[in-house]
Amino acid sequence: DICKYLKDILSRKHYKTTIVDCGREAIENVNQTAYDIVLLDLSLPDIEGYKVMVHIKQKNPESIVIIITGFASIDSAIKTLRKGAYDYIRKPFERQKILKTIENALENKRLRNDRKKSEVALRESEERFRNLVENSLIGICIIQDKKIVYKNREQRKILGKLPDSFETNSLEFLHPDDASKVKHFYKGILSGKFQTIETDFRFSPSSKFKEQVDVKWGQCHASTFNYLGKEAILVNMMDITRAKELEYLVMIKHKMASLGRVAAGIAHEIRNPLTGINSYLYTLEDICDEDTFSTEDIEMTKRIAGQIQTASNKIESVIKRVLDFSRPGTPKMVKINLNQSLSEAIKLSSATLRKKGIKIKTSLGDNLPECYGDAHLIEQVILNLINNATQIMSEKDVKKIIKVTSYLENQSLFVRVADSGPGVPVKLTERIFDPFFTTHHDGSGIGLSLAQRIIADHGGTITVGRSEWDGAEFSIELPLEKRIGPR
Ligand SMILES: Nc1ncnc2c1ncn2[C@@H]1O[C@H](COP(=O)(O)OP(=O)(O)OP(=O)(O)O)[C@@H](O)[C@H]1O
Ligand SMILES: [Mg+2]
């Protein structure tokens, strides 16, 4: 009969089959074994085929049920399809048809299994990432439509309880001195002017900044990205309060050390003339001890008085230089044309350079924007750098070139003064900016410290490196805008 016929064609395709004759037997079998496929005739001698189908599906939802039906019961076959049967085959059927349906069903099941597996894998990986982000030691939050839509544990710890809405005009937890900087960045990233920003700021972890509460330092990196199909800002944040405290301590230590060196410098400068004065005084004392004064003695006394005067003038000039250094005029900041200051300084030194056989090259950037500064002081800085280079190259038998370059980069103007001298030994690079540090026997060691002071007053930096001729290259950075906040 039909079952035997089916078993026969299926065995030939290496399917393992079991035949049962009635609904009850089918149910018993299904209870024991989870079949891949059940071929079920709807008209059974004992139970309605439909009920058997429901039972199979309940017992083992993964089993595929294919209904075999005569023309008369097509309606009920369709009903079973709705209840989860995979397909139905009408009697009489062809061998090819049944094999094809079974193959399709198995393939379908395999695909479903695969999909389920990848769904599980995806869920697991999502879970893993969520755990990673949630337990990260970096504060992470996502801002979308000016609202915080996600923040991890560390972020909640750093910023405390914050309003979820992140309007540019609120952000009241920021230190007033840093607020405008952060808001400027935030607006920039909202408007698409910046893609990423990196900044540090002070804040207090409460909804409103309170100086008396604990003020903290945060380092923040923010970038735009697509979150759930919409533009958002990913913010990474770190509590760097401790680092800032240490930085401050190191700075104080540095200052103390440098103060110590300054004191040593002053002591050294004053000791020589002082030793001179002392020995002159002894000689005077000797002369006074004599009973009578000869004209020679008087001459000698006069000479000694003159020498004491010179030595004391020297001491006075040291003191004057110290005072000049500690009280330089505050720069009168106006919009200036940097290249003009550079050209002026070059012009002033050109006579000396020519005399010493030093070639000066310039490469001044075209159309540089104006920057805030004191033209006179900047000129003084450049003169100092040119003088230093001139001095060191005159002492040594080296190629003699000085090159002055200016250019614009990242909202800052840069000036480089490079020379072809011997360069600054690496171990001295820190010290050359110290007041009174000099390697010249007649130098006072004030030039570079004054330059550094002036540039710092402009909100800029000055550093030393190697030039293309392996000499020294001093590099000055001047911000275009007046720097916001103390940095
Ligand atoms: N272009 C340079 N190449 C190599 N060394 C330099 C250069 N410029 C400065 N230095 C080193 O840095 C030291 C400090 O320079 P700084 O201008 O402060 O003082 P100084 O030139 O020695 O004295 P002053 O400028 O007060 O007369 C110099 O003594 C020198 O050792
Ligand atoms: Mg100098």
Side-chain angles (χ1 to χ4, degrees):
D1 68 343
I2 184 162
C3 283
K4 293 236 174 59
Y5 168 64
L6 275 172
K7 188 179 172 85
D8 186 43
I9 53 175
L10 291 177
S11 310
R12 244 184 266 166
K13 287 280 172 193
H14 309 293
Y15 291 113
K16 258 170 72 187
T17 44
T18 311
I19 301 179
V20 294
D21 294 328
C22 61
R24 192 154 297 118
E25 218 180 317
I27 286 174
E28 270 167 28
N29 256 285
V30 167
N31 285 347
Q32 304 293 326
T33 314
Y35 290 96
D36 284 326
I37 296 186
V38 178
L39 296 168
L40 176 68
D41 200 317
L42 282 187
S43 44
L44 297 172
D46 49 354
I47 314 175
E48 266 180 68
Y50 172 75
K51 284 189 179 151
V52 176
M53 209 274 329
V54 172
H55 180 86
I56 295 170
K57 275 286 169 194
Q58 259 169 14
K59 187 74 199 164
N60 189 3
E62 297 295 303
S63 286
I64 295 169
V65 182
I66 297 171
I67 303 297
I68 295 178
T69 170
F71 182 70
S73 49
I74 281 203
D75 278 355
S76 45
I78 289 171
K79 218 189 298 172
T80 53
L81 279 188
R82 290 206 190 100
K83 284 288 174 190
Y86 173 73
D87 203 354
Y88 70 91
I89 295 175
R90 251 188 310 176
K91 287 188 282 193
F93 48 79
E94 285 167 15
R95 185 171 150 273
Q96 280 310 325
K97 168 82 180 158
I98 188 92
L99 284 175
K100 191 82 206 148
T101 309
I102 287 175
E103 260 168 39
N104 284 348
L106 286 174
E107 180 60 19
N108 192 294
K109 183 171 173 170
R110 243 192 316 273
L111 287 177
R112 247 197 339 233
N113 269 343
D114 285 355
R115 200 177 62 207
K116 213 170 266 171
K117 265 190 223 152
S118 37
E119 270 170 15
V120 169
L122 192 70
R123 237 196 326 272
E124 275 173 7
S125 122
E126 243 179 49
E127 185 71 24
R128 250 198 317 272
F129 272 106
R130 201 192 315 277
N131 277 337
L132 235 108
V133 169
E134 188 58 27
N135 295 317
S136 165
L137 288 181
I138 289 181
I140 297 171
C141 79
I142 298 171
I143 302 173
Q144 203 166 43
D145 296 331
K146 298 185 187 171
K147 281 192 183 62
I148 298 182
V149 291
Y150 171 79
K151 54 185 164 195
N152 72 349
R153 192 164 39 196
E154 183 65 15
Q155 185 70 31
R156 291 191 288 269
K157 203 169 102 191
I158 297 175
L159 278 183
K161 217 175 139 37
L162 276 187
D164 280 341
S165 117
F166 236 65
E167 291 294 334
T168 31
N169 53 4
S170 57
L171 308 183
E172 285 176 327
F173 58 99
L174 293 170
H175 189 292
D177 287 352
D178 295 344
S180 59
K181 172 175 77 173
V182 176
K183 285 177 188 177
H184 166 72
F185 280 139
Y186 184 42
K187 274 183 198 150
I189 207 163
L190 281 178
S191 69
K193 192 168 136 203
F194 307 132
Q195 240 78 62
T196 54
I197 52 165
E198 175 111 41
T199 185
D200 56 9
F201 53 83
R202 284 156 296 171
F203 66 95
S204 65
S206 64
S207 45
K208 210 170 168 73
F209 184 82
K210 295 185 198 93
E211 187 81 62
Q212 319 78 303
V213 192
D214 53 342
V215 176
K216 288 187 163 195
W217 272 99
Q219 171 80 27
C220 141
H221 175 102
S223 49
T224 48
F225 80 127
N226 190 297
Y227 181 64
L228 303 177
K230 243 173 42 179
E231 176 100 329
I233 305 168
L234 177 66
V235 182
N236 291 320
M237 202 174 145
M238 249 163 44
D239 183 345
I240 54 161
T241 314
R242 182 77 191 127
K244 283 282 180 186
E245 280 166 7
L246 290 176
E247 193 180 292
Y248 180 71
L249 286 179
V250 168
M251 189 193 75
I252 295 272
K253 221 173 117 185
H254 215 80
K255 272 200 172 152
M256 293 305 284
S258 135
L259 198 66
R261 290 202 289 267
V262 172
I266 298 176
H268 176 81
E269 291 254 325
I270 291 183
R271 188 184 284 136
N272 282 339
L274 213 53
T275 315
I277 291 177
N278 274 333
S279 65
Y280 299 137
L281 288 176
Y282 278 124
T283 322
L284 273 186
E285 212 175 10
D286 284 348
I287 294 174
C288 291
D289 280 348
E290 283 169 25
D291 296 333
T292 52
F293 295 117
S294 62
T295 39
E296 242 171 64
D297 286 338
I298 291 169
E299 279 304 307
M300 177 106 144
T301 310
K302 275 187 186 159
R303 211 169 50 241
I304 287 175
Q307 274 154 339
I308 289 180
Q309 185 72 57
T310 313
S312 105
N313 283 348
K314 197 151 191 192
I315 293 178
E316 197 184 313
S317 104
V318 171
I319 291 172
K320 185 173 173 306
R321 284 202 315 263
V322 173
L323 289 181
D324 279 354
F325 176 70
S326 57
R327 278 192 259 117
T330 34
K332 291 174 197 62
M333 306 284 269
V334 288
K335 286 238 162 188
I336 60 161
N337 178 334
L338 180 66
N339 282 346
Q340 217 165 336
S341 297
L342 301 184
S343 306
E344 200 62 38
I346 292 166
K347 206 163 73 192
L348 282 174
S349 44
S350 62
T352 318
L353 292 174
R354 212 174 314 119
K355 210 163 69 195
K356 304 256 180 190
I358 295 171
K359 203 168 136 195
I360 183 130
K361 294 183 171 184
T362 51
S363 161
L364 307 184
D366 287 332
N367 304 324
L368 294 186
E370 292 190 315
C371 68
Y372 273 96
D374 182 322
H376 188 69
L377 290 179
I378 297 286
E379 203 180 290
Q380 200 176 324
V381 169
I382 305 304
L383 261 178
N384 258 325
L385 297 181
I386 293 179
N387 280 347
N388 280 350
T390 308
Q391 194 172 3
I392 204 129
M393 287 194 293
S394 322
E395 283 167 9
K396 306 234 153 73
D397 187 18
V398 286
K399 191 151 99 179
K400 293 181 170 59
I401 308 170
I402 295 178
K403 185 173 175 188
V404 181
T405 317
S406 67
Y407 58 95
L408 172 75
E409 195 178 285
N410 294 337
Q411 293 298 301
S412 287
L413 290 177
F414 286 84
V415 181
R416 287 173 190 263
V417 179
D419 65 51
S420 55
V424 180
V426 175
K427 61 176 193 295
L428 294 186
T429 49
E430 290 268 321
R431 299 193 54 195
I432 56 168
F433 293 101
D434 280 346
F436 300 107
F437 177 83
T438 178
T439 54
H440 304 302
H441 63 274
D442 58 345
S444 68
I446 285 289
L448 284 181
S449 60
L450 202 59
Q452 192 181 46
R453 180 70 169 270
I454 291 171
I455 298 300
D457 283 346
H458 279 73
T461 53
I462 174 166
T463 51
V464 66
R466 294 232 139 240
S467 75
E468 58 188 292
W469 306 282
D470 228 19
E473 177 170 276
F474 286 84
S475 179
I476 298 171
E477 185 214 342
L478 289 170
L480 276 187
E481 296 296 326
K482 286 188 202 166
R483 281 258 151 93
I484 320 163
R487 281 227 51 180

